[in-house]
Amino acid sequence: MDKALEKYGHIQKEHLSKCFANQQNINPVELNKERFKVKAVFTASIIFLKNNSKKDDGKIISATKFYDSISDVYEKMIDFEKNLDLRFNAYKKLFLLTGTVADIGCGIGLDSIALAMNGHKVTAFDISPNMIEELKRNADKYKVTIETHIGSFVFIHQRFDVKFNYVVSVGNTIAHLNQKELNSAIRRI
């Protein structure tokens, strides 16, 4: 678990610095709240996986169950409305040219929706069918079109190989992968 937490800390620090470094008018207190919320979800998922996982690919099943179980409260956990505005503005600055984007570990669609609102064609992937259903409801609410699929970094169908201009995976999705799985997925997608 220590390795996963160390990996998460590095990824989260890199994510926050890339996504929010150029953001105008961002309050450092709000940024720390965002980091804390994501860390809390990550910590809960690591504890859940540690207590409920089988060896090898059993972690996928347990992660699916965990995210399915929190899908109905996840919007409040991450303060969706407030963070959507932050992400919309951050992505506008980060991706100057619109294109095709894969959002892997999309959850309830915060990043997918922010990207779609910026004019990108988004394909979203998540291991949790319940999270995908929440994403669809949110996409309808914000009047954006997002193609959705159930899948993880490891199990995305090969028809999606080298199809996207950009790939995002914000949050704790990468922490569920070992280095070999991550390297393979990055090369493919």
Side-chain angles (χ1 to χ4, degrees), residues 9-159:
H10 172 73
I11 291 166
Q12 186 63 12
K13 182 178 179 183
E14 185 177 312
H15 156 69
L16 289 168
S17 64
K18 280 182 183 175
C19 288
F20 298 109
N22 297 323
Q23 180 69 27
Q24 301 279 330
N25 302 322
I26 189 159
N27 180 337
V29 173
E30 295 304 315
L31 187 60
N32 282 329
K33 285 181 185 176
E34 163 95 359
R35 183 182 296 139
F36 176 77
K37 288 175 190 174
V38 174
K39 187 182 281 188
V41 172
F42 172 79
T43 303
S45 65
I46 290 295
I47 292 167
F48 179 87
L49 292 172
K50 183 178 178 192
N51 293 333
N52 296 293
S53 290
K54 299 175 203 160
K55 291 185 178 183
D56 300 321
D57 65 344
K59 69 181 179 182
I60 299 296
I61 295 167
S62 293
T64 301
K65 287 179 182 176
F66 172 77
Y67 288 107
D68 274 348
S69 73
I70 65 168
S71 63
D72 60 336
V73 296
Y74 200 74
E75 189 168 334
K76 290 179 183 156
M77 288 173 66
I78 64 169
D79 199 354
F80 191 93
E81 295 282 332
K82 184 176 179 183
N83 282 303
L84 181 59
D85 187 51
L86 288 172
R87 301 284 170 90
F88 173 81
N89 291 319
Y91 285 131
K92 187 187 310 183
K93 293 177 182 180
L94 189 61
F95 301 123
L96 299 178
L97 300 174
T98 58
T100 57
V101 183
D103 182 2
I104 303 174
C106 61
I108 62 172
L110 178 63
D111 295 285
S112 296
I113 292 168
L115 289 159
M117 289 170 67
N118 273 303
H120 298 281
K121 182 179 182 218
V122 180
T123 304
F125 301 88
D126 202 281
I127 60 171
S128 166
N130 291 359
M131 289 285 198
I132 291 287
E133 288 306 312
E134 291 294 323
L135 180 149
K136 289 176 183 178
R137 280 192 275 285
N138 284 325
D140 286 343
K141 178 179 175 181
Y142 291 96
K143 298 177 179 22
V144 294
T145 302
I146 297 170
E147 181 181 340
T148 59
H149 298 277
I150 297 171
S152 70
F153 250 124
V154 179
F155 298 110
I156 292 176
H157 194 276
Q158 66 188 28
R159 75 174 184 251

